[in-house]
């Protein structure tokens, strides 16, 4: 099977209302990344110095050498930046979620005590603040388990949330596999939490942010000033608040780092944003774990039918083989396509099936047309239609014709087949009986090539209606 794992559908055009506590119109969630003392450094057993997210834009790792300036910048985050942010958030009465690198937390007992005294959540940010893209699964899992162990040793309790940050393609699956976490945040793909089927586990994902994030003070074309940071946060808040006011409440994550926004000029922009949102009604500022608890209670994972893209072939054909009338070969070919989450809806699966119908030969498509029964014809009278066709014809009252109406249909059917070589096909659920008769008479006059195209469009529409009833 060719299966495509990325999900481009998500909640689609009509995302659910988060239904935040108290009818809040938005959840604004602040994350403080505590990485100081966990970054790449020879003192930590690493081969190079750190080169990521500092005032030294474009810094390169120094193999085999300590980078004194880089270390000093990280030290500022622990020595001064953390405490400035601690005063700001405790003064505002807003609890935060800390993404704590376990080895960094172990080197910061006073900061950990301050986090806990403030009632902040300390989620795991991995064992070390390093890049895992080239790690083997086994090595990454070993670090993950050690991070969980050390986190519990340092804080007195196991982490309930996980965010690696510089992750590999295996990170989310490995974190889910542990069964440890009530949520994982190594995605940036939505404005709402969602449930993901990962292996045998249904895992809650609470997406994080790289745009509403002070890291852009340390990246090219990022924020040059606190005013830019504030303006971007404000505009994001305003857009999401308006969506919440319209009945579709969302979540806004704000990512922070002690050594970045902890600098005085930037901290003022953060303070300004906090004061701004406190001027609105219906703003909820929870910890991330509270979002997870709310989502599990109000939006529990659905236990629906098997997803088409995950079905065995026999099950797929049994369920969808009749979508195109007596033409199981269409479903068989569709099953061999690159299916994925986008095809697990009526629209998505219809796209896959219709592609196979459209790419078939003229003779094959003609076979599909000829597999359709006459409207109100002999098969209907003998009750030999498929279940789908029986229900469809009944929906337009074609199972209860007067003698006069029956004769009209018989006459039209005969004339139509004689002229075009295939039965008249129309998605009867889109029409009433008089409308069907008018369409019948109008299309009887079409040239056969044009009518073939019209009949194929109607076949696709019938398939779409049938899928909507199933998915």
């Amino acid at each position: 099977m060719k299966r495509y794992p990325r999900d481009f559908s998500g909640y689609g055009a009509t995302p659910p209302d988060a239904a935040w506590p108290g009818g809040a119109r938005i959840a604004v969630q602040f994350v403080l990344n505590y990485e100081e003392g966990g970054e790449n450094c020879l003192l930590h057993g690493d081969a190079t110095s750190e080169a990521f997210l500092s005032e030294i834009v474009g810094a390169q790792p120094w193999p085999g050498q300590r980078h004194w300036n880089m270390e000093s910048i990280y030290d500022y985050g622990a020595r001064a930046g953390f405490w400035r942010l601690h005063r700001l958030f405790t003064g505002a009465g807003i609890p935060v979620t800390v993404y704590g690198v376990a080895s960094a937390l172990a080197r910061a007992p006073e900061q950990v005590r301050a986090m806990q005294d403030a009632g902040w959540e300390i989620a795991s940010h991995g064992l070390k603040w390093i890049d895992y893209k080239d790690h083997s699964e086994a090595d990454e899992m070993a670090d993950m388990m050690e991070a969980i162990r050390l986190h519990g040793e340092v804080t007195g309790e196991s982490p309930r949330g996980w965010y690696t940050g510089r992750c590999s393609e295996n990170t989310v699956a490995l974190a889910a596999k542990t069964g440890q976490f009530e949520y994982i945040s190594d995605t940036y793909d939505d404005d709402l939490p969602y449930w993901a089927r990962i292996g045998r586990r249904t895992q809650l994902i609470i997406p994080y942010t790289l745009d509403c994030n002070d890291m852009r003070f340390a990246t090219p074309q990022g924020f040059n000033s606190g005013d830019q940071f504030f303006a971007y946060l404000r505009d994001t808040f305003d857009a999401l608040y308006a969506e919440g006011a319209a009945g579709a409440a969302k979540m806004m994550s704000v990512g922070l780092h002690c050594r970045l926004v902890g600098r005085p000029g930037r901290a003022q922009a953060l303070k300004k944003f906090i004061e701004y949102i406190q001027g609105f009604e219906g703003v909820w500022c929870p910890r991330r774990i509270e979002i997870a608890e709310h989502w599990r209670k109000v939006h529990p994972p659905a236990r629906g039918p098997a997803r088409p893209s995950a079905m065995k072939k026999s099950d797929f054909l049994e369920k969808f083989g009749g979508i195109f009338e007596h033409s199981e070969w269409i479903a068989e070919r569709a099953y061999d396509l690159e299916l994925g989450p986008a095809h697990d809806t009526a629209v998505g699966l219809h796209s896959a099936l219709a592609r196979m119908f459209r790419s078939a030969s003229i003779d094959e498509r003609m076979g599909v047309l000829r597999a359709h029964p006459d409207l109100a014809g002999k098969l209907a009278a003998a009750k030999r239609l498929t279940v789908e066709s029986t229900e469809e014809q009944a929906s337009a009252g074609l199972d209860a014709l007067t003698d006069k109406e029956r004769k009209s249909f018989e006459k039209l059917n005969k004339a139509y087949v004689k002229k075009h070589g295939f039965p008249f096909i129309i998605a009867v659920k889109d029409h009433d009986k008089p409308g069907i008769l008018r369409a019948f008479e109008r299309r009887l006059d079409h040239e056969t090539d044009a009518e073939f195209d019209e009949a194929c469009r109607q076949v696709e529409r019938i398939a779409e209606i049938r899928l909507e009833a199933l998915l």
Side-chain angles (χ1 to χ4, degrees):
M1 291 191 301
K2 293 178 288 186
R3 294 298 179 259
Y4 190 76
R6 293 168 64 188
D7 184 356
F8 297 130
S9 297
Y11 289 118
T14 54
D17 183 1
W20 299 129
R25 296 177 178 180
I26 188 173
V28 181
Q29 204 286 303
F30 294 91
V31 169
L32 180 60
N33 293 266
Y34 195 89
E35 300 156 352
E36 289 74 14
E39 77 280 7
N40 281 287
C41 178
L42 267 63
L43 297 176
H44 306 157
D46 300 306
T48 68
S49 63
E50 186 55 69
F52 193 50
L53 292 189
S54 77
E55 303 301 324
I56 309 173
V57 178
Q60 297 296 314
W62 289 5
Q65 297 183 60
R66 291 176 63 188
H67 194 315
W68 189 261
N69 292 347
M70 182 67 71
E71 290 179 23
S72 182
I73 288 170
Y74 270 74
D75 292 350
Y76 181 92
R79 293 162 57 106
F82 171 82
W83 297 108
R84 180 169 290 114
L85 298 175
H86 183 268
R87 291 190 295 272
L88 175 59
F89 281 109
T90 55
I94 295 176
V96 306
T97 287
V98 176
Y99 285 165
V101 174
S103 56
L105 296 175
R107 297 184 173 106
E110 292 185 2
Q111 290 90 338
V112 169
R113 174 64 63 84
M115 296 172 194
Q116 294 175 323
D117 287 348
W120 294 359
E121 175 199 4
I122 308 178
S124 183
H125 197 6
L127 179 63
K128 302 173 71 175
W129 175 229
I130 60 176
D131 198 332
Y132 280 90
K133 71 180 180 66
D134 295 322
H135 279 55
S136 68
E137 288 188 53
D139 287 345
E140 186 174 1
M141 177 59 92
D143 275 9
M144 193 172 288
M145 297 310 295
E146 176 59 14
I148 295 170
R149 186 204 67 78
L150 182 58
H151 187 108
E153 184 178 278
V154 171
T155 69
E157 57 186 8
S158 295
R160 298 167 67 187
W162 179 271
Y163 175 74
T164 294
R166 289 191 273 180
C167 61
S168 75
E169 63 177 302
N170 303 310
T171 300
V172 173
L174 292 175
K177 187 177 181 181
T178 68
Q180 168 76 37
F181 303 111
E182 295 189 37
Y183 69 88
I184 296 170
S185 287
D186 275 300
T187 69
Y188 312 96
D189 53 4
D190 215 299
D191 299 311
L192 288 173
Y194 62 89
W195 296 97
R197 188 68 180 174
I198 304 174
R200 296 183 177 181
R201 181 176 177 82
T202 301
Q203 176 67 56
L204 181 62
I205 305 295
I206 303 182
Y208 187 46
T209 178
L210 294 181
D211 65 317
C212 293
N213 194 308
D214 67 357
M215 67 176 287
R216 293 184 60 196
F217 282 115
T219 59
Q221 293 189 345
F223 301 126
N224 291 324
S225 69
D227 287 344
Q228 291 178 342
F229 184 47
F230 167 72
Y232 191 83
L233 295 182
R234 180 199 60 206
D235 289 349
T236 301
F237 173 87
D238 288 347
L240 295 177
Y241 188 87
E243 291 180 16
K250 301 295 195 309
M251 173 187 72
M252 176 182 177
S253 294
V254 181
L256 308 169
H257 298 76
C258 301
R259 64 192 175 279
L260 296 177
V261 80
R263 294 281 176 174
R266 297 169 184 156
Q268 284 298 100
L270 178 60
K271 180 175 183 290
K272 189 176 177 182
F273 176 68
I274 290 172
E275 292 171 347
Y276 178 76
I277 67 174
Q278 287 180 328
F280 288 79
E281 294 290 336
V283 178
W284 184 40
C285 292
R287 302 172 304 168
R288 225 159 177 79
I289 190 62
E290 290 162 337
I291 290 177
E293 291 167 345
H294 170 82
W295 209 260
R296 183 175 296 278
K297 178 181 178 182
V298 179
H299 300 282
R303 290 181 173 83
R307 296 176 289 115
S309 66
M311 284 182 170
K312 294 180 181 179
K313 188 170 187 177
S314 57
D315 295 335
F316 186 91
L317 295 181
E318 181 180 355
K319 187 160 188 176
F320 304 114
I323 294 299
F324 281 75
E325 192 84 6
H326 294 298
S327 301
E328 189 178 81
W329 59 268
I330 295 176
E332 190 165 4
R333 292 180 189 178
Y335 186 82
D336 292 332
L337 288 175
E338 180 192 83
L339 300 183
H343 300 98
D344 291 334
T345 64
V347 171
L349 186 53
H350 181 263
S351 173
L353 293 169
R355 283 173 56 193
M356 296 300 91
F357 176 62
R358 293 166 191 164
S359 62
S361 68
I362 294 292
D363 288 344
E364 287 174 320
R365 284 187 285 161
M366 183 65 78
V368 175
L369 301 189
R370 288 172 176 163
H372 276 259
D374 291 337
L375 284 184
K378 294 179 180 179
L379 289 179
K383 300 188 182 300
R384 291 173 55 195
L385 298 179
T386 63
V387 173
E388 293 85 359
S389 290
T390 299
E391 291 178 350
E392 287 159 3
Q393 295 203 23
S395 71
L398 301 185
D399 62 337
L401 299 176
T402 65
D403 289 341
K404 183 179 179 180
E405 288 172 335
R406 186 173 294 105
K407 287 180 180 180
S408 294
F409 272 101
E410 289 174 356
K411 181 180 178 181
L412 288 167
N413 277 325
K414 186 175 180 179
Y416 185 95
V417 172
K418 182 178 180 180
K419 179 175 181 179
H420 298 303
F422 50 84
F424 176 76
I425 301 170
I426 191 169
V428 294
K429 288 197 173 182
D430 290 337
H431 306 274
D432 58 15
K433 189 163 44 179
I436 292 170
L437 280 168
R438 287 193 298 271
F440 214 149
E441 293 167 348
R442 173 177 52 82
R443 287 170 52 187
L444 182 58
D445 292 332
H446 284 177
E447 294 298 322
T448 295
D449 287 347
E451 187 55 20
F452 177 84
D453 292 340
E454 177 61 28
C456 286
R457 285 191 289 271
Q458 292 298 319
V459 164
E460 291 185 21
R461 174 58 182 150
I462 290 168
E464 184 175 31
I465 292 170
R466 291 177 177 179
L467 284 170
E468 288 170 351
L470 289 176
L471 296 173

